[in-house]
Amino acid sequence: GHAYEDDILNKTGLSCHGLKTSCSPYYEVPSNFLEYAFLNYLKENKIYNSDADIILSNYYIDLFEYMYAINILLKIYEINITTNDYVEVEIKKEDIINYANELNGQLNYYGYFSDLNNIVNYKNVFIYGIGHLMSLYLYEVYKENSKYFKKEFKNALINYYTEGINAFKELNITEEKLINNKVLSKVLKENR
């Protein structure tokens, strides 16, 4: 995905490093989308069926864990960033502990922060979480009209650093659409 994006940027006279696309929350969208599209290609064409199912299942679990972590991280207002882009998550405040415990109970899930000794790569949680989530929505657009998708996806990759989520507008990806989660719900129900 990153090589594809770099190629597009170089052909347009732009440079990935010049744009500092890695500073964008959409940096992992191209690679996550291509990974997700490839896994679906395998599944739809009955190639390595069981392997594709396992990896797709892991993809959805990763998406769940990223969204879970994002929900907790958004409640933390004081963070300590180290030189490696890691964030020490202080889950000592009672309101954060209560929120995490309530979320754990609702989800019947108790592993994420305890497994990491309360240290989370803040940047990666967001960029991979956004990349995983948007890949589901992008794949829906790709299936509807692959020729149109390819053109607009290239445009989005050229513009997301400066336009943010608006760069994906022509692909029918908006903040509102991501929040209403209809595509996410549909995909997860189809892949139980």
Side-chain angles (χ1 to χ4, degrees), residues 38-50:
F38 176 67
L39 292 171
N40 277 285
Y41 172 82
L42 293 176
K43 186 173 180 175
E44 291 162 6
N45 289 283
K46 299 181 182 1
I47 302 169
Y48 299 113
N49 281 334
S50 61

Side-chain angles (χ1 to χ4, degrees), residues 18-133:
L19 289 176
K20 298 183 181 171
T21 55
S22 64
C23 297
S24 168
Y26 306 103
Y27 179 63
E28 288 298 332
V29 169
S31 63
N32 279 216
F33 166 71
L34 290 174
E35 175 185 357
Y36 185 70
F38 176 67
L39 292 171
N40 277 285
Y41 172 82
L42 293 176
K43 186 173 180 175
E44 291 162 6
N45 289 283
K46 299 181 182 1
I47 302 169
Y48 299 113
N49 281 334
S50 61
D51 294 328
D53 285 340
I54 290 168
I55 296 170
L56 269 169
S57 178
N58 288 338
Y59 192 90
Y60 299 133
I61 290 168
D62 287 346
L63 171 61
F64 166 78
E65 288 188 339
Y66 291 131
M67 293 301 123
Y68 171 84
I70 287 171
N71 270 285
I72 301 293
L73 290 173
L74 289 174
K75 297 289 184 185
I76 300 170
Y77 299 106
E78 296 176 21
I79 57 174
N80 180 19
I81 300 174
T82 66
T83 57
N84 296 328
D85 288 333
Y86 279 84
V87 176
E88 287 187 27
V89 178
E90 294 290 335
I91 307 201
K92 294 180 180 174
K93 294 187 178 185
E94 193 171 328
D95 59 331
I96 295 170
I97 292 170
N98 290 340
Y99 177 73
N101 287 335
E102 181 182 321
L103 193 57
N104 291 346
Q106 290 172 357
L107 299 171
N108 193 24
Y109 181 73
Y110 299 92
Y112 193 78
F113 285 106
S114 61
D115 291 347
L116 299 172
N117 297 321
N118 294 346
I119 297 175
V120 176
N121 185 318
Y122 194 86
K123 178 182 169 184
N124 281 356
V125 164
F126 279 92
I127 64 174
Y128 285 102
I130 290 168
H132 272 59
L133 180 62

Side-chain angles (χ1 to χ4, degrees), residues 6 17 34 70 81 84 104 106 156 160 165 167 175 177 184:
D6 285 347
H17 300 292
L34 290 174
I70 287 171
I81 300 174
N84 296 328
N104 291 346
Q106 290 172 357
Y160 75 81
I165 189 81
E175 184 177 346
K177 189 166 184 174
L184 173 63

